[in-house]
Amino acid sequence: MAENKIAIVSKGLFKENPVFILMLGLCPTLGVTTQVINALGMGVGVIFVLVFSNIFVSLLKNIIPPSVRIPSYIVIIAAFVTIVEMVMHAYAPSIYQSLGIFLPLIVVNCIILGRAEAFANKNTIVDSFLDAIGMGLGFTVAIILIALIREVFGSGTITLFAMGGFDGVIKIPLLYTYPVRIFTLAAGALLLMGYLKGFFEWFSKRKRG
Amino acid sequence: MMYIGLFITYIFINNFILTQFLGICPFIGVSKNSEAAIGMGMAVTFVMGIASLITYLVYHLLLLPLNLTYLQTLSFILVIASLVQFVEMVIQKNSPSLYQALGIFLPLITTNCAVLGIALINITSGYNLMQSFVAGVAAGLGFTLALVLMSNIRERLDLHPVRKAFRGVPIAFISGGLMALAFMAFDKSLLTNLLG
């Protein structure tokens, strides 16, 4: 039984990674990944919304009539997105600013509605919670990876939290003076995503033999 | 004059897919053949135009006077979801042929970031009713343009030898990236040159 639970979490990270395998939630994946800190903020927001919407959808699965389930899920999701918006506005205003329109757009992130429809309305609360954790972490890891590549090559920096004497920005010597600007632009994001997806496809085929 | 500027801005300069990253999911998902792309594009344009009008009215007549602006996200998505449902019913009743063409795309539109995106952009940019509508329709047309171009590229790509690992989605992203590079030619100076 315990192995089963671990499998629920780990499938979101690797086998069914929402970004690289299922190709869900692509708008924020490309839109907010110009800085690592933004990707981190987005990831945390998505994990929060995903966990609570999965729990609530699983709780209410016997009460919601099937014919109106999608609007009901959207209302549940939108309520938690509003909470995330308010909390970020209050405690992390700079991330709130730079995420901009992509924060309310978590509502229409296909990952969340997709998991509610495909998993949470058929499974127990504990399983839905674990599924949300796995999928959320898979999404976060994927967008942080993309953000890391885009920021390192595109601006030559890695932006993290400002703590104590550290201002939160790591500068990479050569790339900071001669950045490859295309990575920060829309075109670079799409190209990078294509090559990464191609790489993962090649990699998984090779592993299978 | 201003409306023309807005129109050009949202079709070319701020093209939703190629510069703003809104509506990438259908861009990759529905761009396999050009007929479906046109259908999807038309349905999205239609819903975006009407959604811009209605969300503007909801925001300015309901949320602002009652001081409920924090309910923006929740109310907009509800408006869009019910609007899509309503449009689907009206088209089904009045124009079965149009329903045949657009029917399967309509449910997908609720979760299209571009629709909620334009509603939020209209509010943050402080557009008035007419400007919101023009921006909505133009953004929808820009979306259609990118989608149709992409579907034609992908139909051609099917006939070309592409490496196995890159077939399908990866090559679609790379073509999209190259298209975005081309769209970088459109910027603010285009607007000043055209309209003075």
Side-chain angles (χ1 to χ4, degrees), chain A residues 23 27 78 82 85 105 107 186, chain B residues 18 21-22 73-74 113 169 173:
Chain A
M23 307 304 281
C27 304
T82 309
E85 268 184 86
L105 282 179
V107 179
Chain B
L18 297 173
F21 305 113
L22 297 169
T73 315
L74 191 64
C113 330
V169 177
F173 267 113

Side-chain angles (χ1 to χ4, degrees), chain B residues 152-194:
Chain B
N152 281 303
I153 292 177
R154 284 183 79 172
E155 279 178 350
R156 294 284 173 89
L157 274 176
D158 283 346
L159 306 173
H160 285 264
V162 178
R163 279 204 67 151
K164 213 184 228 160
F166 279 94
R167 228 169 267 166
V169 177
I171 195 75
F173 267 113
I174 293 169
S175 334
L178 295 175
M179 254 161 76
L181 268 182
F183 267 69
M184 278 164 65
F186 303 115
D187 59 2
K188 285 275 179 304
S189 57
L190 172 83
L191 215 55
T192 36
N193 285 341
L194 274 178

Side-chain angles (χ1 to χ4, degrees), chain A residues 17 20 24 33-34 59 101 120 140 161-162 167 172 175 183 200:
Chain A
N17 186 292
F20 290 124
L24 294 173
T33 48
T34 45
L59 270 176
I101 182 176
T140 311
F161 299 101
D167 67 350
I172 290 139
L175 284 165
F183 277 100
F200 280 112

Side-chain angles (χ1 to χ4, degrees), chain B residues 35-54:
Chain B
E35 248 168 72
I38 292 174
M40 180 73 182
M42 284 299 126
V44 167
T45 310
F46 189 63
V47 171
M48 273 168 101
I50 303 177
S52 303
L53 283 180
I54 296 184

